[in-house]
Amino acid sequence: MDFSWTKEQLAFKQGIIEFASSQLDADEIKRDRESAFSKPNWKRCADFGFLGLSLPKRYSGREDVDFMTAIFGMEGLGYGCKDNGLTFALNAQMWTVQLPVLHFASDEIKEQYLPAMSRGDLIGAHVISEAESGSDVFSMKTTATRCDGGYRLNGEKKYISLGPIADVALVFALTDPEAGKWGVSAFLVDVDSKGIHVSANREKMGLRTVPFGD
């Protein structure tokens, strides 16, 4: 069995390295000191096609790139881009927000959100961690109860990657606390919805509190 990369895959990775090293703003030290997020770099990556690597063509993805090639390409991004925070953030949206939506959301939700996230028009956050439980999803306290028109989420999340700047959040909550791990559900929530409060400065990255509900 041949485990070597093809010429096409090697060229794909090299193209990404050249893009990342020449087109992305490399002033990451200044951004780190200011806890700043570079939306221009994010949009350049989206325009290049990074955010579509986890999606099929129907949702602005690429049919010519399979999973292994996509991972190989992300390795190239890590090699060519000096901003590790940017590469982490791109991966956070691609694999922990877009992919769950692709596999589990309704067609209507997919059409509404996935192309916009792939284009870089929407930023998505994966919202699990809480102050008391960290990322232990089975120890979370946030609940979701049925109400007129859907569900009401109540709780507080912390340490959320992309949380301060996200437009949409994939929020995990307990719909049946007595069912333990079988009672956890995920909700795609527009961050500007009524009742959601995000830390004051949405232009900076960092550890922020994201309470949901009343």
Side-chain angles (χ1 to χ4, degrees):
M1 182 175 290
D2 186 3
F3 291 98
S4 60
W5 298 103
T6 66
K7 291 182 179 179
E8 291 77 14
Q9 288 171 321
L10 291 169
F12 177 68
K13 178 183 178 181
Q14 184 59 38
I16 291 176
I17 292 172
E18 293 173 0
F19 160 79
S21 60
S22 64
Q23 301 299 317
L24 298 180
D25 173 15
D27 197 9
E28 69 282 346
I29 295 177
K30 182 176 183 294
R31 286 196 299 274
D32 281 352
R33 288 172 177 167
E34 298 176 352
S35 296
F37 175 79
S38 176
K39 187 65 178 289
N41 275 352
W42 182 271
K43 193 63 170 66
R44 290 184 190 107
C45 289
D47 292 342
F48 188 81
F50 282 114
L51 290 169
L53 291 180
S54 64
L55 299 172
K57 187 175 181 180
R58 176 180 178 182
Y59 303 114
S60 303
R62 295 182 54 169
E63 288 186 343
D64 61 326
V65 178
D66 59 20
F67 177 76
M68 289 301 296
T69 304
I71 298 302
F72 194 45
M74 295 309 297
E75 182 180 298
L77 178 65
Y79 184 87
C81 177
K82 295 181 180 179
D83 188 343
N84 291 332
L86 176 63
T87 58
F88 180 90
L90 289 165
N91 277 278
Q93 175 169 302
M94 289 168 59
W95 309 111
T96 69
V97 181
Q98 293 176 184
L99 213 57
V101 172
L102 175 66
H103 287 298
F104 299 107
S106 66
D107 289 340
E108 180 181 0
I109 292 296
K110 293 176 188 177
E111 294 286 354
Q112 181 179 353
Y113 290 97
L114 290 180
M117 284 194 276
S118 177
R119 293 192 304 266
D121 296 336
L122 291 179
I123 294 177
H126 184 82
V127 182
I128 286 184
S129 298
E130 299 181 0
E132 300 297 326
S133 60
S135 296
D136 179 4
V137 66
F138 302 139
S139 298
M140 69 170 61
K141 303 299 182 183
T142 298
T143 60
T145 54
R146 284 191 177 275
C147 62
D148 292 340
Y151 284 85
R152 181 183 298 277
L153 276 65
N154 280 288
E156 184 175 297
K157 301 289 187 177
K158 285 190 174 181
Y159 320 121
I160 305 302
S161 299
L162 293 171
I165 58 170
D167 303 292
V168 61
L170 185 64
V171 184
F172 290 78
L174 295 170
T175 47
D176 184 359
E178 295 184 359
K181 62 184 180 181
W182 306 112
V184 177
S185 299
F187 299 84
L188 201 60
V189 181
D190 291 323
V191 173
D192 61 359
S193 299
K194 181 180 178 181
I196 296 179
H197 306 282
V198 183
S199 57
N201 193 340
R202 289 171 55 85
E203 299 302 318
K204 294 188 175 183
M205 297 289 287
L207 305 184
R208 303 291 188 254
T209 301
V210 187
F212 292 87
D214 291 340

